[in-house]
Amino acid sequence: STGLVWGAAPAWPTEPLTLDAALTVALAHSPAIRKSQQDLQEAAGISLQQRAIYLPRFAANGTFNAQDSGRIQGVALAPGQPDVKFQTDKSWTAGVQLSQPVYAGGRLKSAQRSAKLTSAAALAQHQTVVADALLEVRTAYLDILLAAELITTQEASVHLLEQELADTRRRFEA
């Protein structure tokens, strides 16, 4: 674990950064890499949606009706006999449906191919963003090392020219 937290600004280094440390900081704090990771998660969700066409679909419904029993009319089958009611004061209905697509004219195969390609494209894009960010850090790091060496070289050149100037002045005075 590097101890780096997403979104937290890196502390100023107390010693020179190595290339590995610079790459670690770039991986932890690059906005392009963070956005690419979010895009990768989004693509995984889209791929899941595209594959969902294969999954069975389940639907359930139900109803309950209650009526005032005094509002249900009865029929007298014989005089003097109590009325017979052909309906109850409560009724229930329930239904369950499970459906699984078997053939949809190529749509299933196309959805599966599309899901795979979406995932592969998102992963390739993420890898490209990470590689580009790390290349930029490597290039900048090596440019800094080159600049430091050029400064050292120029300082040595100035020192050599100062010595030649001093030698030439001594010869001139002699």
Side-chain angles (χ1 to χ4, degrees):
S1 173
T2 60
L4 298 173
V5 179
W6 282 95
W12 285 103
T14 56
E15 56 189 46
L17 282 177
T18 63
L19 179 58
D20 289 339
L23 293 173
T24 301
V25 169
L27 285 173
H29 297 284
S30 170
I33 292 176
R34 276 190 255 159
K35 182 178 180 327
S36 177
Q37 286 175 331
Q38 290 173 349
D39 291 346
L40 189 61
Q41 290 173 349
E42 181 181 319
I46 291 171
S47 178
L48 182 65
Q49 282 179 331
Q50 290 169 334
R51 283 192 306 262
I53 195 170
Y54 275 107
L55 300 176
R57 287 170 179 71
F58 179 78
N61 60 22
T63 59
F64 171 74
N65 289 323
Q67 295 181 354
D68 181 15
S69 59
R71 299 187 74 195
I72 300 174
Q73 290 186 341
V75 176
L77 296 177
Q81 293 292 324
D83 290 347
V84 177
K85 296 182 180 181
F86 292 101
Q87 181 178 350
T88 63
D89 60 341
K90 295 182 178 100
S91 65
W92 315 75
T93 59
V96 175
Q97 181 182 11
L98 183 65
S99 62
Q100 171 72 43
V102 176
Y103 179 75
R107 193 174 113 193
L108 299 175
K109 200 170 215 177
S110 174
Q112 183 181 23
R113 236 185 352 247
S114 179
K116 284 181 183 177
L117 292 175
T118 298
S119 295
L123 182 60
Q125 179 65 28
H126 176 68
Q127 290 171 340
T128 301
V129 168
V130 170
D132 286 347
L134 295 180
L135 177 64
E136 287 177 15
V137 169
R138 279 189 183 98
T139 302
Y141 189 86
L142 295 176
D143 284 348
I144 289 170
L145 291 180
L146 177 63
E149 290 300 317
L150 287 175
I151 289 171
T152 304
T153 304
Q154 292 297 325
E155 286 174 346
S157 176
V158 166
H159 182 68
L160 178 65
L161 290 173
E162 285 174 347
Q163 285 179 348
E164 284 184 15
L165 177 63
D167 287 345
T168 305
R169 281 187 179 154
R170 277 192 297 255
R171 278 190 217 134
F172 179 72
E173 290 173 359

